[in-house]
Amino acid sequence: MAKTALIQRELKREKLVSKYAKKYEELKAIANDAKRSEEERAAARDSLQKLPRNANPTRQRNRCEITGRPRGTFRQFGLARNKIREMAFTGDIPGVVKASW
């Protein structure tokens, strides 16, 4: 189980990303648009840098929904590998069975 402070930090990042998502996308589009003037693009880059650091979506970390483990997380299930294994053996995940050959 991950520390609750780390899990709370990640939740705080999710809120910040969703809060600034629209503004972030607009500024990013302006900064990457080659048809705009260099001054406009520079102003957009400056505005991007003034946004909170944790508002950047790349700073988010995928964590297990149950344990909060940051590594070995499968996006399809939202669970860490060891929890997927436990739940698959008990039959809690539909369609997932233990391989045997």
Side-chain angles (χ1 to χ4, degrees), residues 3-17:
K3 290 184 179 180
T4 53
L6 298 177
I7 295 170
Q8 293 303 317
R9 182 188 305 161
E10 204 60 45
L11 293 175
K12 188 176 175 184
R13 281 184 183 150
E14 285 179 26
K15 288 178 188 173
L16 262 177
V17 167

Side-chain angles (χ1 to χ4, degrees), residues 41-77:
R41 294 172 70 193
R45 285 192 294 268
D46 289 342
S47 301
L48 269 173
Q49 287 181 348
K50 289 178 182 173
L51 291 178
R53 185 172 283 184
N54 285 333
N56 192 338
T58 58
R59 290 181 63 93
Q60 285 182 307
R61 182 83 174 167
N62 292 332
R63 287 187 173 269
C64 177
E65 292 292 325
I66 297 171
T67 62
R69 180 182 166 86
R71 298 187 180 195
T73 305
F74 286 69
R75 288 183 185 178
Q76 183 178 2
F77 303 108

